């Protein structure tokens, strides 16, 4: 685009209006660099957030297992639909599972789906026992994966 101006001598003068190709390329390069630097941090944050939701779901499942034990005096034969497992695992990046349940003990697990396991391989599956023992299947630090 060109802007036409009248000078003091009433002659037409053309002045450039808009951005040059170099200016556009520099701007796009800066945007690309900022995106490439921010994307891994964003993915890490999303992965941590999904893990946090899985921890909450595991703790809620543990609570429901304790209620079941209070009524039936055993953890054995606790069915996921009786415990309301479906609402807990809805929109979760993990699959909740009762790995082991007998009269006095249980072990529940949150297994990451394929996408989550790629971004959070250090923690892997999260496990919780009836004694409150927290475990992970990955090679990471339990404190970092489970928090406090």
């Amino acid at each position: 685009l060109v802007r036409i101006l009248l000078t003091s001598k009433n002659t037409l003068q053309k002045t450039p209006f808009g951005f040059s190709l170099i200016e556009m390329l520099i701007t796009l390069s800066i945007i690309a660099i900022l995106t490439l630097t921010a994307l891994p941090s964003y993915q890490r944050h999303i992965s941590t957030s999904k893990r946090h939701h899985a921890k909450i779901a595991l703790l809620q499942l543990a609570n429901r297992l304790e209620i079941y034990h209070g009524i039936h005096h055993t953890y054995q034969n606790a069915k996921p639909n009786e415990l309301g497992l479906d609402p807990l695992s809805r929109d979760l990046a993990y699959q909740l599972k009762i790995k082991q349940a007998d009269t006095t003990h249980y072990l529940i697990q949150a297994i990451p789906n394929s996408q989550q396991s790629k971004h959070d391989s250090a923690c892997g599956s999260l496990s919780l026992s009836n004694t409150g023992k927290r475990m992970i299947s990955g090679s990471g630090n339990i404190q970092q994966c489970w928090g406090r």
Side-chain angles (χ1 to χ4, degrees), residues 83-104:
L83 298 171
L85 191 59
D86 290 337
L88 289 178
S89 60
R90 190 174 299 133
D91 300 327
L92 204 60
Y94 288 77
Q95 176 189 4
L96 296 180
K97 180 180 177 184
I98 301 172
K99 186 167 180 168
Q100 176 188 358
D102 59 28
T103 342
T104 56

Side-chain angles (χ1 to χ4, degrees), residues 21-70:
L21 180 60
I22 298 295
E23 291 171 329
M24 290 297 286
L25 288 175
I26 290 171
T27 303
L28 288 174
S29 298
I30 290 171
I31 291 172
I33 290 169
L34 289 174
T35 302
L36 289 174
T37 345
L39 191 61
S41 176
Y42 174 73
Q43 286 177 334
R44 218 174 13 261
H45 175 73
I46 294 298
S47 175
T48 303
S49 174
K50 288 179 180 180
R51 185 177 350 110
H52 182 69
H53 283 103
K55 290 188 294 188
I56 291 171
L58 269 178
L59 292 171
Q60 288 175 340
L61 178 57
N63 184 31
R64 291 177 186 194
L65 275 166
E66 292 299 335
I67 292 170
Y68 182 88
H69 185 269

